[in-house]
Amino acid sequence: MGKKGKKEKKVKGAEKTAAKMEKKVSKRSKREEEDLEALIAEFQSLDAKKTQVVETTCPPPSPRLNGSLSAHPEKDELILFGGEFFNGKKTYLYNDLFFYNIRKNTWVKSEIPNPPPPRCSHQAVVVPQGGGQLWVFGGEFASPNGEQFYHYKDLWVLHLATHTWENIKAPGGPSGRSGHRMVLSKKQLLVFGGFHESTRDFIYYNDVYSFSLDTFSWSRLSTSGSAPSPRSACQMTSTPDGMGVIIYGGYSKVRVKKDVEKGTIHSDMFLLKREGKDGQEKWSWSRLNPSGNKPPPRSGFSLAVGPAGRAVLFGGVCDEEEEESLEGDFYNDLYLYDTVKNRWFPGMLRGNKTEKKKRRRVKKGGAEGEEAEREEEEAAAPQGPTEIIKEIVTEDGTVMTIKEVIPGPEERSSQYLSTAPLIEPCPRSSAMATVRQGKLYLYGGMFEVGDRQFTLNDFYCLDLHKMDQWEVLVEMDPKTQEWLEESESEDDEEEEEAAKGAEGEEEESEEESEDEEEHPAVQEGETVTDYQNRTEQYWIGLARANMGSDAKDKKVAKVALAMAKVFYEDQHPVASP
């Protein structure tokens, strides 16, 4: 009894502390949010002028991250809503709505009167009732300079049959937040976690709320057991029987001292289970210890629910925090979690099956044929992980270096060996993902090179049954990448623009051609490796100037190699490596 009493006191003490922190954050952020409310009101007044639905065929949505991508419950369509974009100086928030027709491979922009205001890091869940509905809760709005935040606590539903938005005003819901998770569990929406941030303070949540799709009412769940610590951006998946949800990972940070914050990437797993009849449910937390190969720690991963209720996790970033810098390693790998077997496993692409058939023919020759088969497999397959580096050059000359590691034979299926290089999305975080008819769809996201952020609008598809290769639906165009460097003042920027005058573009093109002539020339008969070794110091200097003095030497060296290779291939496109 004594231990139980201590535990109860400890839980109540933690709840009081959290309540005090929430009150403190609310007071300090109130003025900020009042300023942003005026800006949000302007957006809503403009949207209020729309009186009818306007649908137009359009190109793919603009580059963005932290939006929502959902599968239509009845049609072969995907629904993309909201998101954000940052160009180095200004933050843009969206509330545009797009429908993607899977069979026709076309996009339609749907402008519907009275939509939710612009937001990102919200949650959207599709339910089949009423001809199909898209429920949207929470998210955040940011000032153009990205220094002030407004966290929504509103609930919206898009009626897909009639193409109308409705704001559901039900009391007792979660406080304003973003980075939370929301899933459908039987006839209710469950909301877990998230965070609220102001200029000076922040708070992370681990509370659970339920919204009834029958009564349109909110209730906060009273849970027992060992709950996850407060966090945002976790993976939340309903169990196949609809009697609970599974939580994996997430991110949170704490203030260790004044002006010093420390982030934590979580990799633990929990089950929230429901017991009892409707209206008399009891909810309890328990820790899960899954088997198999868990994903390495990361945040910003994309998540979806695949066939047989398997959770699908793609990409993300693992940040390395130092005293005055923050650098991250981005991923483009795929992991699946079997909710029935409580097991993680990596989603390895199989490629084509041509080698499988070839080995079967060789095997018919008895012992000698078997020996030949083994030799052929050894020659065809790499003996360990192989690192492949791809480079993409933007219009302004910035080089994006993408590293991929192809696992060795012991890490992948021995049944399939692909002779052609596999097509994969580049490493990224905060992409939008969903599954429709057993296929995973992935849109946008972002990654960083030095101090520069690249926001994507490419679009991929992967058949989760075949697991053969990614299909490119929209290819990334480096020329669409926009990045504006920060200047000391707007006056300086205006003076520079005025100084350029009418001859600015001509001078710029002359400078570019001069720069190209200054690069070390490729010598006759020189391979790319020889060229990289001979000109290494030159390209390192150029990469350092481009990435800044804070960039790590190892990353600068990789970018330098990539720049040298790109220049070499421009000069000798058919030369052998």
Side-chain angles (χ1 to χ4, degrees):
M1 293 294 291
K3 288 184 178 179
K4 187 177 180 181
K6 285 182 180 178
K7 282 186 178 179
E8 289 177 353
K9 285 182 180 178
K10 192 174 181 181
V11 170
K12 288 181 179 179
E15 289 177 353
K16 286 182 179 179
T17 303
K20 287 179 181 178
M21 178 60 75
E22 186 170 356
K23 192 174 181 181
K24 185 179 178 184
V25 170
S26 298
K27 283 183 177 179
R28 290 185 172 178
S29 63
K30 188 175 181 181
R31 181 171 293 180
E32 291 178 21
E33 296 198 340
E34 285 175 353
D35 293 340
L36 291 180
E37 278 176 351
L39 189 56
I40 294 169
E42 289 182 26
F43 284 110
Q44 289 183 298
S45 65
L46 292 173
D47 286 328
K49 295 178 181 178
K50 300 172 184 176
T51 57
Q52 59 184 3
V53 178
V54 178
E55 294 191 331
T56 53
T57 303
C58 63
S62 59
R64 65 189 64 199
L65 64 148
N66 290 327
S68 58
L69 184 66
S70 310
H72 196 292
E74 296 180 355
K75 301 179 181 179
D76 281 335
E77 289 183 345
L78 306 181
I79 309 162
L80 191 152
F81 172 72
E84 64 177 310
F85 173 77
F86 178 60
N87 67 0
K89 282 190 175 180
K90 189 175 180 180
T91 299
Y92 297 85
L93 277 297
Y94 303 114
N95 67 338
D96 43 10
L97 180 69
F98 297 89
F99 288 85
Y100 173 72
N101 187 303
I102 294 174
R103 293 182 181 179
K104 296 180 181 179
N105 190 26
T106 55
W107 289 92
V108 170
K109 184 175 183 180
S110 184
E111 297 181 70
I112 300 175
N114 300 308
R119 68 191 60 206
C120 67
S121 300
H122 56 278
Q123 284 287 278
V125 172
V126 166
V127 302
Q129 67 188 47
Q133 299 172 340
L134 177 75
W135 288 83
V136 175
F137 173 74
E140 70 181 55
F141 180 85
S143 60
N145 63 8
E147 294 180 358
Q148 292 179 300
F149 304 96
Y150 180 90
H151 295 266
Y152 294 103
K153 58 179 179 180
D154 51 356
L155 180 66
W156 295 77
V157 58
L158 172 64
H159 299 280
L160 297 171
T162 59
H163 275 215
T164 54
W165 281 107
E166 181 183 358
N167 184 200
I168 306 298
K169 297 181 179 180
S175 58
R177 63 188 65 194
S178 59
H180 52 286
R181 292 294 177 255
M182 182 170 74
V183 298
L184 175 66
S185 181
K186 287 200 170 180
K187 292 185 178 181
Q188 57 188 338
L189 302 174
L190 295 180
V191 175
F192 169 79
F195 73 99
H196 186 289
E197 185 171 15
S198 65
T199 304
R200 298 176 59 187
D201 290 296
F202 54 84
I203 182 172
Y204 285 78
Y205 301 102
N206 66 344
D207 48 6
V208 186
Y209 281 82
S210 167
F211 180 80
S212 171
L213 294 172
D214 288 330
T215 63
F216 278 28
S217 60
W218 283 106
S219 61
R220 179 171 179 170
L221 301 185
S222 296
T223 61
S224 60
S226 177
S229 59
R231 64 191 64 195
S232 69
C234 61
Q235 184 177 46
M236 185 177 182
T237 310
S238 292
T239 56
D241 60 6
M243 294 303 291
V245 292
I246 294 170
I247 300 292
Y248 165 74
Y251 176 84
S252 64
K253 62 183 179 180
V254 295
R255 194 182 303 280
V256 293
K257 56 183 179 179
K258 188 177 180 181
D259 299 329
V260 178
E261 300 167 1
K262 181 175 177 58
T264 299
I265 296 175
H266 302 280
S267 58
D268 45 6
M269 291 190 73
F270 297 84
L271 169 67
L272 178 62
K273 192 174 181 179
R274 170 175 41 197
E275 295 176 338
K277 298 179 180 179
D278 291 346
Q280 298 178 338
E281 303 104 326
K282 291 184 178 180
W283 298 82
S284 61
W285 286 106
S286 60
R287 186 181 289 269
L288 290 178
N289 294 304
S291 60
N293 299 316
K294 279 175 63 175
R298 66 190 67 192
S299 62
F301 49 76
S302 306
L303 54 137
V305 179
R310 287 177 172 175
V312 183
L313 183 152
F314 172 85
V317 59
C318 183
D319 291 323
E320 299 174 11
E321 294 189 34
E322 297 181 0
E323 288 187 2
E324 296 182 359
S325 66
L326 179 68
E327 293 192 15
D329 291 322
F330 290 81
Y331 297 97
N332 67 339
D333 49 1
L334 190 70
Y335 281 84
L336 295 98
Y337 173 72
D338 190 321
T339 54
V340 176
K341 297 181 180 178
N342 187 28
R343 176 176 174 266
W344 281 101
F345 58 96
M348 304 304 301
L349 300 187
R350 294 165 177 163
N352 60 49
K353 304 179 183 179
T354 55
E355 287 299 308
K356 180 180 178 182
K357 294 179 181 178
K358 188 174 182 179
R359 290 200 300 275
R360 280 179 175 171
R361 288 198 297 269
V362 175
K363 195 173 181 178
K364 291 180 180 178
E368 292 181 3
E370 291 177 6
E371 183 65 29
E373 177 199 2
R374 284 195 296 271
E375 290 178 1
E376 184 179 348
E377 287 183 3
E378 289 172 3
Q383 298 304 303
T386 304
E387 183 174 296
I388 297 176
I389 295 179
K390 298 178 182 178
E391 306 83 25
I392 298 175
V393 184
T394 62
E395 196 170 26
D396 63 5
T398 301
V399 178
M400 299 183 284
T401 304
I402 301 169
K403 182 180 77 171
E404 296 180 11
V405 178
I406 307 300
E410 70 282 356
E411 300 174 39
R412 61 190 298 184
S413 170
S414 60
Q415 286 187 317
Y416 301 99
L417 288 172
S418 175
T419 55
L422 296 175
I423 298 171
E424 294 181 312
C426 71
R428 66 190 68 197
S429 74
S430 307
M432 293 141 280
T434 192
V435 172
R436 171 69 180 169
Q437 300 287 359
K439 290 186 176 181
L440 172 66
Y441 293 87
L442 187 79
Y443 196 94
M446 61 81 73
F447 68 94
E448 297 168 346
V449 175
D451 293 332
R452 175 169 177 172
Q453 174 178 309
F454 291 87
T455 307
L456 308 169
N457 70 331
D458 50 358
F459 191 26
Y460 289 84
C461 172
L462 174 66
D463 190 320
L464 295 173
H465 293 294
K466 297 179 180 178
M467 290 296 290
D468 48 0
Q469 63 180 6
W470 287 92
E471 179 185 355
V472 183
L473 301 174
V474 176
E475 198 167 6
M476 181 182 69
D477 182 3
K479 293 181 180 179
T480 64
Q481 293 295 323
E482 178 189 23
W483 189 255
L484 305 176
E485 297 292 345
E486 292 186 9
S487 59
E488 292 184 3
S489 70
E490 294 297 326
D491 293 338
D492 293 342
E493 186 179 322
E494 291 174 4
E495 288 174 9
E496 287 175 9
E497 290 178 358
K500 284 183 180 178
E503 298 177 359
E505 291 183 4
E506 295 179 6
E507 291 175 3
E508 190 175 327
S509 62
E510 289 175 8
E511 287 176 4
E512 287 178 359
S513 61
E514 287 174 6
D515 288 343
E516 289 180 3
E517 292 173 6
E518 290 175 2
H519 295 326
V522 179
Q523 297 176 357
E524 187 174 351
E526 191 173 32
T527 66
V528 63
T529 304
D530 292 338
Y531 178 76
Q532 287 172 324
N533 291 337
R534 180 173 63 83
T535 61
E536 179 181 13
Q537 293 306 314
Y538 169 81
W539 292 106
I540 285 178
L542 200 61
R544 173 65 70 185
N546 189 38
M547 297 173 68
S549 58
D550 294 335
K552 289 184 177 180
D553 292 341
K554 191 176 180 180
K555 290 198 173 184
V556 171
K558 285 183 180 179
V559 172
L561 281 173
M563 293 172 72
K565 185 179 179 183
V566 169
F567 179 75
Y568 176 91
E569 291 175 348
D570 283 344
Q571 302 301 309
H572 292 269
V574 295
S576 59

